Amino acid sequence: MKKIRKAVIPAAGLGTRVLPATKAMPKEMLTIVDKPAIQYIVEEAAASGIEDVLIITNRGKGLLEDHFDRAPELEERLAADPGKAAVLEEVRNISRLCNVWYVRQKETKGLGHAVNCARSFVGGEPFAVLYGDDVIIGEDPACAQLIRAYEKYGLGVAGVKEVSAEAIRKYSSLKVQPLEGGCMRCTDMVEKPGPGEEFSLYSILGRCILPPEIFDILDSTPPGFGGEIQLTDAMKALAREKGMIAVDFTGKRYDMGSKLGVMQANVEVALGHPEIGGAFREYLRGLAGSI
Ligand code: UTP
């Protein structure tokens, strides 16, 4: 079985739900306290053993590229101040996480179309996809949990969580039968199901492992919901033909593509932040009394 060494992070969406922040900046650069969302995601990939990451971009490319590059002038300034040694190390480490590559999605035609832009980068290997606006924080990296399921079952894997009956209308719904250890066999799925169309409340959230055959499937996937080429439609074909594995991953997932998700991520991460956690908790306690 081929090892999973490559990951694709689609980051070329228009981010219309978080406008105007995303007018000139990709939503993947929105911060959670002091780190952009995409850094959490690349850190998760690196912690899962991924060596090469391809970020699919279309605008704000400079910002993303600069973030994972060295910053000689800034590093020189930090190096001159002994009090800034820790932050210097943190800044330098960003460029050492893994090899980061970029390709542009020339038209914003959907997540499936974005993933299809990774065909030559991926070649004939299975690969991980980490959605650029889904940050998952937990002890055991979500991507690593999916890789272990791929290694066990040898099938494509989707990271899933159970969502509410209202939320399932906005996401995908999977037909699943339980296996063991948080894994399920998935044989069908539907994107944004209408009332009565859902298979279950398990929905794909942010992570998957795909075999290279997905590219041929994507080539023949017509535009689906919203006139976009949906990755779920291609995964549906894969699940029906070969079967997939759904992994109910551990970790807290934050939707950085929504304003509420951005605020939840910031409040929860700030509460546990080593530098500001204590002061922020005090601040929130005071605020809570007045609302
Ligand atoms: P979303 O559907 O949440 O992205 O895609 P969006 O289109 O930016 O969202 P809204 O509804 O307008 O706010 C999930 C992930 O796929 C990427 C996005 O950047 C996000 O990380 N994506 C989406 C692409 O790379 N290309 C696309 O054409 C669409």
Side-chain angles (χ1 to χ4, degrees), residues 9-19 22 26-28 56-59 105 107-115 130-134 192 228-230 255 257-258:
I9 304 180
L14 296 177
T16 56
R17 286 168 295 148
V18 274
L19 279 168
T22 46
K27 63 178 160 183
E28 293 76 11
I56 316 280
T57 64
N58 71 348
R59 77 241 182 268
Q105 182 188 17
E107 287 172 274
T108 314
K109 286 185 173 172
L111 181 57
H113 181 264
V115 169
L130 295 89
Y131 301 10
D133 56 355
D134 273 322
K192 300 191 176 50
E228 295 195 331
I229 297 178
Q230 299 286 347
D255 178 7
S258 83

Side-chain angles (χ1 to χ4, degrees), residues 63-141:
L63 276 185
L64 286 161
E65 288 198 359
D66 289 349
H67 191 73
F68 292 103
D69 197 1
R70 294 291 297 269
E73 203 187 341
L74 173 68
E75 289 176 25
E76 208 176 294
R77 182 71 63 91
L78 295 174
D81 181 346
K84 300 259 194 260
V87 73
L88 171 65
E89 196 49 22
E90 208 180 337
V91 164
R92 280 198 178 139
N93 280 341
I94 302 170
S95 61
R96 296 177 185 139
L97 286 168
C98 44
N99 303 317
V100 185
W101 309 83
Y102 304 87
V103 70
R104 281 181 101 115
Q105 182 188 17
K106 295 194 180 73
E107 287 172 274
T108 314
K109 286 185 173 172
L111 181 57
H113 181 264
V115 169
N116 211 4
C117 296
R119 187 191 268 264
S120 30
F121 165 82
V122 166
E125 299 179 27
F127 63 104
V129 180
L130 295 89
Y131 301 10
D133 56 355
D134 273 322
V135 169
I136 301 171
I137 297 179
E139 286 287 301
D140 187 9

Side-chain angles (χ1 to χ4, degrees), residues 232-285:
T232 313
D233 290 342
M235 282 198 269
K236 172 164 67 180
L238 190 67
R240 283 180 173 177
E241 273 169 38
K242 296 199 160 178
M244 286 184 76
I245 299 298
V247 174
D248 188 355
F249 58 83
T250 59
K252 183 86 194 269
R253 173 244 180 198
Y254 299 102
D255 178 7
M256 294 296 286
S258 83
K259 290 175 191 175
L260 187 60
V262 172
M263 291 316 299
Q264 287 165 337
N266 272 283
V267 169
E268 290 180 30
V269 172
L271 282 170
H273 194 278
E275 196 182 315
I276 62 158
F280 187 65
R281 188 170 297 270
E282 281 311 300
Y283 162 74
L284 270 193
R285 281 213 177 97

